[in-house]
Amino acid sequence: MKKIILTVAAIFAFGFANAQDKKESSEGFSKGDVFVSGALTLGSSKTGDFKVNAFEIAPKVGFFVTENIAVGASLGFSSLKLDDGNDDATNSGTSFGAFGRYYFTPASKFSLFAELGLDYTSNDEEFDIETGNAYMTSFETKEIGFGLGAGLNYFVSSNFSIEAGVAVLGYSTNDNGGGGAEKTNNFSFGGDWRAVSFGVNYKF
């Protein structure tokens, strides 16, 4: 009987230790994992007759194709409306993006990564201005950009991680409405540690 009790205790001890190891190792990323993040914001302000209403939703999804490499996509919708009681302006934007990441220590609680991304953004601008006779004007701008950035993930649990990132290299071109308008080209290099972005990821 004593031997049986010791054997059962040993089995339970082994099972508990194995479960603990599995639980600890679940923190971090591995091949086949999916993570989601993004933004959802609503805002409004009013000063006298001047009103501002803003909305944005921008989900982002990534998938680990190997132990170290993740690929993903993002989608965004935004709206900004300004109204002073007589005139108003509206900006509606749609964006699509694709990205790839290389994680240096994906299976650990703390991991560094490098990201290369490509984004396309379309903005519709509308102005309803009253100057004796009311009239409206509108135009659409299109922008394409790519960027190289660096970041890190820190897992606070097996499913949630805190993410911080900073842009290192970026280039974008905006057609300013087309129709013969001069394009605006932007180039940036160097990490601005005053502009670090923070977010939360959920891992499936």
Coordinates of all heavy atoms in Angstrom, one line a residue, residues 65-137:
V65 N 4.3 32.4 -39.3 CA 4.5 31.4 -40.3 C 5.7 30.5 -40.0 O 5.8 29.4 -40.4 CB 4.7 32.0 -41.7 CG1 3.4 32.7 -42.1 CG2 5.8 33.0 -41.7
T66 N 6.6 31.0 -39.2 CA 7.7 30.2 -38.6 C 7.9 30.6 -37.2 O 7.1 31.4 -36.6 CB 9.0 30.5 -39.4 OG1 9.5 31.8 -39.1 CG2 8.8 30.4 -40.9
E67 N 8.9 30.1 -36.5 CA 9.1 30.4 -35.1 C 9.5 31.9 -34.9 O 9.2 32.4 -33.9 CB 10.3 29.5 -34.6 CG 9.9 28.0 -34.5 CD 8.8 27.8 -33.5 OE1 8.7 28.5 -32.5 OE2 8.0 26.8 -33.7
N68 N 10.1 32.5 -36.0 CA 10.6 33.8 -35.8 C 9.9 34.8 -36.7 O 10.1 36.0 -36.4 CB 12.1 33.9 -36.1 CG 13.0 33.1 -35.2 OD1 13.2 31.9 -35.3 ND2 13.5 33.7 -34.1
I69 N 9.2 34.4 -37.7 CA 8.7 35.3 -38.7 C 7.1 35.4 -38.6 O 6.5 34.3 -38.6 CB 9.1 35.0 -40.1 CG1 10.6 35.0 -40.3 CG2 8.4 35.9 -41.1 CD1 11.1 34.5 -41.6
A70 N 6.6 36.6 -38.5 CA 5.1 36.8 -38.5 C 4.8 37.8 -39.6 O 5.5 38.7 -39.9 CB 4.7 37.4 -37.2
V71 N 3.7 37.5 -40.3 CA 3.1 38.4 -41.3 C 1.7 38.8 -40.9 O 1.0 38.0 -40.2 CB 3.1 37.7 -42.7 CG1 4.6 37.4 -43.2 CG2 2.3 36.4 -42.7
G72 N 1.3 39.9 -41.4 CA 0.0 40.3 -41.0 C -0.6 41.5 -41.9 O 0.0 41.9 -42.9
A73 N -1.8 41.9 -41.5 CA -2.4 43.0 -42.2 C -3.2 43.9 -41.3 O -3.5 43.5 -40.2 CB -3.4 42.4 -43.3
S74 N -3.5 45.1 -41.7 CA -4.2 46.1 -40.9 C -5.3 46.7 -41.8 O -5.1 46.8 -43.0 CB -3.3 47.1 -40.3 OG -2.6 47.8 -41.3
L75 N -6.3 47.2 -41.2 CA -7.4 47.9 -41.9 C -7.9 49.1 -41.0 O -8.0 48.9 -39.8 CB -8.6 46.9 -42.1 CG -9.8 47.5 -42.8 CD1 -9.5 48.0 -44.2 CD2 -10.9 46.4 -42.8
G76 N -8.1 50.2 -41.6 CA -8.5 51.3 -40.7 C -9.6 52.2 -41.4 O -9.6 52.4 -42.6
F77 N -10.4 52.7 -40.5 CA -11.4 53.7 -40.9 C -11.4 54.9 -39.9 O -11.4 54.7 -38.7 CB -12.8 53.1 -40.9 CG -13.0 51.9 -41.9 CD1 -12.9 50.6 -41.4 CD2 -13.3 52.2 -43.2 CE1 -13.0 49.6 -42.3 CE2 -13.4 51.1 -44.1 CZ -13.3 49.8 -43.6
S78 N -11.5 56.1 -40.4 CA -11.4 57.3 -39.5 C -12.4 58.3 -40.1 O -12.6 58.4 -41.3 CB -10.0 57.8 -39.4 OG -9.5 58.3 -40.6
S79 N -12.8 59.2 -39.2 CA -13.7 60.3 -39.5 C -13.4 61.5 -38.6 O -13.4 61.3 -37.4 CB -15.2 59.9 -39.5 OG -16.0 61.0 -39.7
L80 N -13.3 62.6 -39.2 CA -13.1 63.9 -38.4 C -14.0 64.9 -39.0 O -14.0 65.3 -40.2 CB -11.7 64.3 -38.5 CG -11.3 65.6 -37.8 CD1 -11.5 65.5 -36.2 CD2 -9.9 66.1 -38.1
K81 N -14.9 65.5 -38.1 CA -15.8 66.5 -38.6 C -15.7 67.8 -37.7 O -15.7 67.7 -36.5 CB -17.3 66.0 -38.5 CG -18.3 67.1 -39.1 CD -19.7 66.5 -39.2 CE -20.6 67.5 -39.8 NZ -22.0 67.0 -40.0
L82 N -15.6 68.9 -38.4 CA -15.5 70.2 -37.7 C -16.7 71.1 -38.1 O -17.0 71.2 -39.3 CB -14.2 71.0 -38.0 CG -12.9 70.3 -37.6 CD1 -12.4 69.3 -38.7 CD2 -11.8 71.3 -37.3
D83 N -17.3 71.8 -37.2 CA -18.5 72.6 -37.5 C -18.5 73.8 -36.6 O -18.4 73.7 -35.3 CB -19.8 71.8 -37.2 CG -21.0 72.5 -37.7 OD1 -21.0 73.7 -38.0 OD2 -22.1 71.8 -37.6
D84 N -18.6 75.0 -37.2 CA -18.6 76.2 -36.4 C -19.9 76.9 -36.4 O -20.1 78.1 -36.0 CB -17.5 77.2 -36.9 CG -17.8 77.7 -38.3 OD1 -18.8 77.4 -38.9 OD2 -17.0 78.6 -38.8
G85 N -21.0 76.2 -36.8 CA -22.3 76.7 -36.8 C -22.7 77.2 -38.2 O -23.9 77.2 -38.6
N86 N -21.7 77.7 -39.0 CA -22.0 78.1 -40.4 C -21.3 77.3 -41.4 O -21.9 76.8 -42.4 CB -21.6 79.6 -40.5 CG -22.4 80.6 -39.7 OD1 -23.6 80.5 -39.7 ND2 -21.7 81.5 -39.0
D87 N -20.0 77.0 -41.2 CA -19.2 76.2 -42.1 C -18.9 74.9 -41.4 O -18.8 74.8 -40.2 CB -18.0 77.0 -42.5 CG -18.3 78.4 -43.1 OD1 -19.3 78.5 -43.7 OD2 -17.4 79.3 -42.8
D88 N -18.6 73.9 -42.2 CA -18.2 72.6 -41.7 C -17.2 71.9 -42.7 O -17.2 72.2 -43.9 CB -19.3 71.7 -41.3 CG -20.2 71.3 -42.5 OD1 -19.7 70.5 -43.3 OD2 -21.3 71.8 -42.6
A89 N -16.4 71.1 -42.1 CA -15.5 70.3 -42.9 C -15.4 68.9 -42.4 O -15.5 68.6 -41.2 CB -14.1 70.9 -42.8
T90 N -15.3 67.9 -43.3 CA -15.3 66.5 -42.9 C -14.1 65.8 -43.6 O -13.9 66.0 -44.8 CB -16.6 65.8 -43.3 OG1 -17.7 66.5 -42.7 CG2 -16.6 64.3 -42.9
N91 N -13.4 65.0 -42.9 CA -12.3 64.2 -43.4 C -12.6 62.7 -43.1 O -12.7 62.4 -41.9 CB -11.0 64.6 -42.8 CG -9.8 63.8 -43.3 OD1 -9.9 62.6 -43.4 ND2 -8.7 64.5 -43.6
S92 N -12.8 61.9 -44.1 CA -13.0 60.5 -44.0 C -11.9 59.7 -44.6 O -11.5 60.0 -45.8 CB -14.3 60.1 -44.7 OG -15.4 60.8 -44.1
G93 N -11.3 58.8 -43.8 CA -10.1 58.1 -44.3 C -10.3 56.6 -44.2 O -11.0 56.1 -43.4
T94 N -9.7 55.9 -45.2 CA -9.6 54.4 -45.2 C -8.2 54.0 -45.5 O -7.5 54.6 -46.3 CB -10.5 53.9 -46.4 OG1 -11.8 54.3 -46.2 CG2 -10.5 52.3 -46.3
S95 N -7.7 53.0 -44.7 CA -6.3 52.6 -44.9 C -6.2 51.1 -44.9 O -7.0 50.4 -44.3 CB -5.4 53.2 -43.8 OG -5.9 52.7 -42.5
F96 N -5.3 50.6 -45.7 CA -4.9 49.2 -45.8 C -3.4 49.0 -45.6 O -2.7 49.9 -46.1 CB -5.3 48.6 -47.1 CG -6.8 48.8 -47.5 CD1 -7.1 49.9 -48.2 CD2 -7.8 47.9 -47.1 CE1 -8.5 50.2 -48.6 CE2 -9.1 48.1 -47.5 CZ -9.4 49.3 -48.2
G97 N -3.0 48.0 -44.9 CA -1.6 47.8 -44.7 C -1.2 46.3 -44.6 O -2.0 45.5 -44.3
A98 N 0.0 46.1 -44.9 CA 0.6 44.7 -44.7 C 2.0 44.9 -44.1 O 2.7 45.9 -44.3 CB 0.8 44.1 -46.1
F99 N 2.3 43.9 -43.3 CA 3.6 44.0 -42.5 C 4.2 42.6 -42.3 O 3.5 41.6 -42.4 CB 3.4 44.7 -41.2 CG 2.6 43.9 -40.2 CD1 3.2 43.0 -39.3 CD2 1.2 44.0 -40.1 CE1 2.5 42.3 -38.4 CE2 0.5 43.3 -39.2 CZ 1.1 42.5 -38.3
G100 N 5.5 42.6 -42.1 CA 6.3 41.4 -41.8 C 7.2 41.7 -40.6 O 7.7 42.8 -40.5
R101 N 7.3 40.8 -39.7 CA 8.1 41.0 -38.5 C 9.1 39.8 -38.3 O 8.8 38.7 -38.6 CB 7.3 41.1 -37.2 CG 6.5 42.4 -37.1 CD 5.7 42.4 -35.8 NE 5.0 43.6 -35.6 CZ 4.3 43.9 -34.5 NH1 4.2 43.0 -33.5 NH2 3.7 45.1 -34.4
Y102 N 10.3 40.2 -37.8 CA 11.2 39.1 -37.4 C 11.5 39.3 -35.9 O 11.9 40.3 -35.5 CB 12.6 39.3 -38.2 CG 13.5 38.1 -37.8 CD1 13.5 36.9 -38.5 CD2 14.4 38.3 -36.8 CE1 14.3 35.9 -38.1 CE2 15.3 37.3 -36.4 CZ 15.2 36.1 -37.1 OH 16.1 35.0 -36.7
Y103 N 11.1 38.2 -35.2 CA 11.3 38.2 -33.7 C 12.6 37.5 -33.4 O 12.8 36.4 -33.8 CB 10.1 37.5 -33.0 CG 8.8 38.3 -33.0 CD1 8.0 38.5 -34.1 CD2 8.5 39.0 -31.8 CE1 6.9 39.2 -34.0 CE2 7.3 39.7 -31.7 CZ 6.5 39.9 -32.8 OH 5.4 40.6 -32.8
F104 N 13.4 38.1 -32.6 CA 14.7 37.6 -32.2 C 14.6 36.5 -31.1 O 15.4 35.5 -31.1 CB 15.6 38.7 -31.8 CG 16.0 39.7 -32.9 CD1 15.2 40.8 -33.1 CD2 16.9 39.4 -33.8 CE1 15.5 41.7 -34.1 CE2 17.2 40.2 -34.9 CZ 16.5 41.4 -35.0
T105 N 13.7 36.7 -30.2 CA 13.5 35.7 -29.1 C 12.0 35.5 -28.9 O 11.4 35.8 -27.9 CB 14.1 36.1 -27.8 OG1 13.7 37.4 -27.4 CG2 15.6 36.1 -27.9
P106 N 11.3 34.9 -29.9 CA 9.8 34.8 -29.9 C 9.3 34.0 -28.7 O 8.2 34.2 -28.2 CB 9.5 34.2 -31.2 CG 10.7 33.4 -31.6 CD 11.9 34.2 -31.1
A107 N 10.0 32.9 -28.3 CA 9.4 32.0 -27.3 C 9.6 32.5 -25.9 O 9.2 31.9 -24.9 CB 10.1 30.6 -27.4
S108 N 10.2 33.7 -25.7 CA 10.5 34.2 -24.3 C 9.5 35.2 -23.9 O 8.7 35.7 -24.7 CB 11.9 34.8 -24.3 OG 11.9 36.0 -25.0
K109 N 9.5 35.5 -22.6 CA 8.6 36.5 -22.1 C 8.8 37.9 -22.6 O 7.9 38.7 -22.8 CB 8.7 36.5 -20.5 CG 7.7 37.2 -19.7 CD 8.0 37.1 -18.3 CE 6.9 37.7 -17.4 NZ 5.7 36.9 -17.3
F110 N 10.1 38.1 -23.0 CA 10.5 39.5 -23.4 C 11.2 39.2 -24.8 O 12.1 38.5 -24.9 CB 11.5 40.0 -22.4 CG 12.1 41.4 -22.8 CD1 11.4 42.5 -22.5 CD2 13.2 41.5 -23.6 CE1 11.9 43.8 -22.8 CE2 13.8 42.7 -23.9 CZ 13.1 43.9 -23.5
S111 N 10.7 39.9 -25.9 CA 11.2 39.7 -27.2 C 11.3 41.0 -28.0 O 10.4 41.8 -28.0 CB 10.3 38.7 -27.9 OG 10.7 38.5 -29.3
L112 N 12.4 41.1 -28.7 CA 12.7 42.2 -29.6 C 12.3 41.8 -31.0 O 12.4 40.6 -31.4 CB 14.1 42.6 -29.6 CG 14.7 43.1 -28.3 CD1 16.2 43.3 -28.4 CD2 14.0 44.5 -27.9
F113 N 11.8 42.8 -31.8 CA 11.4 42.5 -33.2 C 11.8 43.7 -34.1 O 11.8 44.8 -33.7 CB 10.0 42.1 -33.3 CG 9.0 43.2 -33.0 CD1 8.6 44.1 -34.0 CD2 8.4 43.3 -31.8 CE1 7.7 45.1 -33.7 CE2 7.5 44.3 -31.5 CZ 7.1 45.2 -32.5
A114 N 11.9 43.4 -35.4 CA 12.1 44.4 -36.5 C 10.9 44.2 -37.4 O 10.4 43.1 -37.7 CB 13.4 44.2 -37.2
E115 N 10.3 45.3 -37.8 CA 9.1 45.3 -38.7 C 9.3 46.1 -39.9 O 9.8 47.2 -39.9 CB 7.9 45.8 -37.9 CG 6.6 45.9 -38.7 CD 5.4 46.3 -38.0 OE1 5.1 45.8 -36.9 OE2 4.7 47.3 -38.4
L116 N 8.8 45.5 -41.1 CA 8.8 46.2 -42.3 C 7.3 46.3 -42.8 O 6.6 45.3 -42.8 CB 9.6 45.5 -43.4 CG 9.6 46.1 -44.8 CD1 10.3 47.5 -44.7 CD2 10.4 45.2 -45.8
G117 N 6.8 47.5 -43.0 CA 5.4 47.6 -43.4 C 5.1 48.5 -44.6 O 5.9 49.4 -45.0
L118 N 4.0 48.2 -45.2 CA 3.6 49.0 -46.4 C 2.1 49.4 -46.2 O 1.3 48.6 -45.8 CB 3.7 48.1 -47.7 CG 3.2 48.8 -49.0 CD1 4.0 49.9 -49.4 CD2 3.1 47.7 -50.1
D119 N 1.8 50.7 -46.4 CA 0.4 51.2 -46.1 C -0.1 52.0 -47.3 O 0.7 52.7 -48.0 CB 0.4 52.1 -44.9 CG 0.8 51.3 -43.6 OD1 -0.1 50.5 -43.2 OD2 1.9 51.4 -43.1
Y120 N -1.4 51.9 -47.5 CA -2.1 52.7 -48.5 C -3.3 53.5 -47.8 O -4.0 52.8 -47.0 CB -2.7 51.9 -49.6 CG -3.6 52.6 -50.5 CD1 -3.1 53.4 -51.5 CD2 -5.0 52.5 -50.3 CE1 -4.0 54.1 -52.4 CE2 -5.9 53.2 -51.2 CZ -5.3 54.0 -52.2 OH -6.2 54.7 -53.0
T121 N -3.3 54.8 -47.9 CA -4.4 55.6 -47.3 C -5.1 56.4 -48.3 O -4.5 57.1 -49.1 CB -3.8 56.4 -46.2 OG1 -3.1 55.6 -45.2 CG2 -4.9 57.2 -45.4
S122 N -6.4 56.5 -48.2 CA -7.2 57.3 -49.0 C -8.1 58.3 -48.1 O -8.7 57.8 -47.2 CB -8.2 56.5 -49.9 OG -9.1 57.3 -50.6
N123 N -8.0 59.6 -48.3 CA -8.7 60.5 -47.5 C -9.7 61.4 -48.4 O -9.3 61.9 -49.5 CB -7.8 61.5 -46.8 CG -7.2 60.9 -45.6 OD1 -7.9 60.5 -44.7 ND2 -5.8 60.8 -45.6
D124 N -10.9 61.4 -48.0 CA -11.9 62.3 -48.7 C -12.1 63.5 -47.8 O -12.5 63.5 -46.7 CB -13.2 61.5 -48.8 CG -13.2 60.4 -49.8 OD1 -12.5 60.6 -50.9 OD2 -13.7 59.3 -49.6
E125 N -11.9 64.7 -48.5 CA -12.0 66.0 -47.8 C -13.2 66.7 -48.4 O -13.4 66.8 -49.6 CB -10.8 66.9 -48.0 CG -9.5 66.2 -47.6 CD -9.1 66.4 -46.2 OE1 -9.9 67.1 -45.5 OE2 -8.1 65.8 -45.8
E126 N -14.1 67.2 -47.5 CA -15.3 67.9 -47.9 C -15.4 69.2 -47.1 O -15.3 69.2 -45.9 CB -16.6 67.1 -47.8 CG -16.7 65.9 -48.7 CD -18.1 65.3 -48.6 OE1 -18.9 65.7 -47.8 OE2 -18.3 64.3 -49.4
F127 N -15.6 70.3 -47.8 CA -15.8 71.6 -47.1 C -17.1 72.2 -47.6 O -17.4 72.4 -48.8 CB -14.6 72.6 -47.5 CG -13.3 72.0 -47.2 CD1 -12.5 71.3 -48.2 CD2 -12.7 72.2 -46.0 CE1 -11.3 70.8 -47.9 CE2 -11.5 71.7 -45.7 CZ -10.7 71.0 -46.6
D128 N -17.9 72.6 -46.6 CA -19.2 73.2 -46.9 C -19.1 74.6 -46.3 O -19.3 74.9 -45.1 CB -20.4 72.5 -46.2 CG -21.7 73.0 -46.7 OD1 -21.7 74.0 -47.5 OD2 -22.7 72.5 -46.3
I129 N -18.8 75.6 -47.1 CA -18.5 77.0 -46.7 C -19.6 77.9 -47.2 O -19.9 77.9 -48.3 CB -17.1 77.4 -47.2 CG1 -16.0 76.4 -46.8 CG2 -16.8 78.8 -46.7 CD1 -14.7 76.7 -47.4
E130 N -20.1 78.7 -46.2 CA -21.1 79.7 -46.6 C -20.5 81.1 -46.7 O -20.0 81.7 -45.8 CB -22.2 79.7 -45.4 CG -23.3 80.6 -45.8 CD -24.4 80.6 -44.7 OE1 -24.3 79.7 -43.8 OE2 -25.3 81.4 -44.7
T131 N -20.6 81.6 -47.9 CA -20.1 83.0 -48.2 C -21.1 83.6 -49.1 O -21.0 83.8 -50.3 CB -18.7 82.9 -49.0 OG1 -18.9 82.1 -50.2 CG2 -17.6 82.4 -48.1
G132 N -22.2 84.0 -48.5 CA -23.3 84.6 -49.2 C -24.2 83.5 -49.8 O -25.3 83.3 -49.4
N133 N -23.6 82.8 -50.8 CA -24.3 81.6 -51.3 C -23.5 80.3 -50.9 O -22.3 80.3 -51.1 CB -24.4 81.6 -52.9 CG -25.2 82.8 -53.4 OD1 -26.3 83.0 -52.8 ND2 -24.7 83.5 -54.4
A134 N -24.2 79.4 -50.3 CA -23.5 78.2 -49.8 C -23.0 77.4 -50.9 O -23.6 77.2 -52.0 CB -24.5 77.4 -48.9
Y135 N -21.8 76.8 -50.8 CA -21.3 75.9 -51.8 C -20.4 74.9 -51.1 O -20.0 75.1 -49.9 CB -20.5 76.7 -52.8 CG -19.1 77.2 -52.3 CD1 -18.0 76.5 -52.5 CD2 -19.1 78.5 -51.7 CE1 -16.8 77.0 -52.0 CE2 -17.9 79.0 -51.3 CZ -16.7 78.2 -51.4 OH -15.5 78.7 -51.0
M136 N -20.2 73.8 -51.8 CA -19.4 72.7 -51.2 C -18.3 72.3 -52.2 O -18.5 72.4 -53.4 CB -20.2 71.5 -50.9 CG -19.5 70.2 -50.4 SD -20.6 68.8 -50.1 CE -21.3 69.4 -48.5
T137 N -17.1 72.0 -51.6 CA -16.0 71.6 -52.5 C -15.4 70.3 -51.8 O -15.5 70.1 -50.6 CB -14.9 72.6 -52.6 OG1 -13.9 72.1 -53.5 CG2 -14.3 73.0 -51.3

